[in-house]
Amino acid sequence: MTEASELPQAPEEARTVFGEFFPEAVRYAELLADAGVKRGLIGPREVPRLWERHLLNCAVLSEVVPEGVTVCDVGSGAGLPGIPLALVRPDLKITLLEPLLRRTNFLQEVVELLGLDHVTVVRGRAEEMLGKLPPVHVVTARAVAPLDRLAGWGVPLLRPYGEMLALKGDTAEDEINGARAALAKLGVVETSVLHVGEGVVDPLSTVVKVEVGESPGGVRFAAKRAKAARASRTRRHR
């Protein structure tokens, strides 16, 4: 029996959440359950709970993403939360940022198979992307790293007054409390814990929202950003 055969039928909530893109969501679930497992992107034990724990849990993040913004999904892995978000929000321009080649290969295949024209796959580490990627309105992430480290990667990629939305678990409040000093140095002005997915997922998805002021990344990254901008101008004028 293959892993794909263990994929349960999509729950009714998935039809509601994904709407006209429900067939694409089913295809993505099938790809995760088959190639995703074979290539080591998700564990075989996750297949029976792909819909509730992964696709729907990520799709409901759309409830707190503003309309028509640019998004960078940091450490996208198998495309979570970036691809479910892209399926429910064609108004967004999404970059899936992932350092590992086997994962970016999978992501590129998924994007092409599902016809996600508003999604771009970029291979690279977040900390090396300053000046290489245009600053975005929103950074998303899921289960990538503890909040202080994750913010160090994601916050510098934001535009002024942008926000990072990190899907977290029960320890969200504790992570915020432990990361306050690090977040302040990164120019973060406000943090909050949101619960999304009412009527779709149980338990609700927990999102840590990190908002920045006019200097994303703080003083240290302001200097790096200026240096990257100068280098970019020099390349253009050659």
Side-chain angles (χ1 to χ4, degrees), residues 79-92:
L80 301 163
I83 288 175
L85 184 61
L87 287 169
V88 295
R89 294 289 299 277
D91 60 299
L92 305 173

Side-chain angles (χ1 to χ4, degrees), residues 9-228:
Q9 192 171 356
E12 206 53 44
E13 292 86 349
R15 291 182 182 275
T16 305
V17 170
F18 290 104
E20 64 179 299
F21 294 98
F22 174 69
E24 285 83 359
V26 171
R27 184 77 185 103
Y28 177 48
E30 291 168 350
L31 289 165
L32 284 175
D34 188 359
V37 172
K38 287 173 182 171
R39 299 190 201 178
L41 299 172
I42 67 162
R45 291 182 183 175
E46 296 304 310
V47 174
R49 50 190 183 182
L50 262 180
W51 283 106
E52 286 82 1
R53 182 165 178 169
H54 298 285
L55 273 76
L56 288 172
N57 182 275
C58 289
V60 295
L61 182 63
S62 66
E63 293 177 20
V64 289
V65 177
E67 278 189 37
V69 297
T70 51
V71 177
C72 182
D73 188 32
V74 170
S76 197
L80 301 163
I83 288 175
L85 184 61
L87 287 169
V88 295
R89 294 289 299 277
D91 60 299
L92 305 173
K93 290 193 87 66
I94 299 178
T95 299
L96 306 178
L97 181 61
E98 168 56 48
L100 294 183
L101 180 61
R102 64 187 169 89
R103 292 178 180 169
T104 53
N105 285 342
F106 175 78
L107 292 172
Q108 193 60 52
E109 289 166 25
V110 170
V111 165
E112 289 172 11
L113 277 167
L114 303 185
L116 299 174
D117 297 337
H118 58 305
V119 178
T120 304
V121 178
V122 174
R123 185 183 175 203
R125 307 179 78 84
E127 56 268 41
E128 296 165 358
M129 287 295 116
L130 201 64
K132 296 178 183 176
L133 284 179
V136 295
H137 298 93
V138 176
V139 163
T140 58
R142 180 189 190 228
V144 174
L147 185 60
D148 53 352
R149 207 168 352 136
L150 177 58
W153 298 335
V155 165
L157 301 179
L158 289 169
R159 292 166 51 131
Y161 306 103
E163 58 194 45
M164 184 176 77
L165 300 171
L167 281 160
K168 288 287 185 180
D170 298 337
T171 60
E173 294 279 6
D174 292 338
E175 283 199 51
I176 288 176
N177 289 333
R180 286 199 190 280
L183 293 174
K185 286 180 183 175
L186 288 167
V188 172
V189 295
E190 185 148 354
T191 55
S192 52
V193 176
L194 312 173
H195 299 284
V196 295
E198 185 75 48
V200 178
V201 288
D202 185 18
L204 298 179
S205 298
T206 301
V207 180
V208 172
K209 181 178 180 179
V210 173
E211 300 171 69
V212 299
E214 61 184 23
S215 185
V219 175
R220 185 160 61 98
F221 283 95
K224 285 188 176 183
R225 194 173 281 107
K227 184 179 178 183

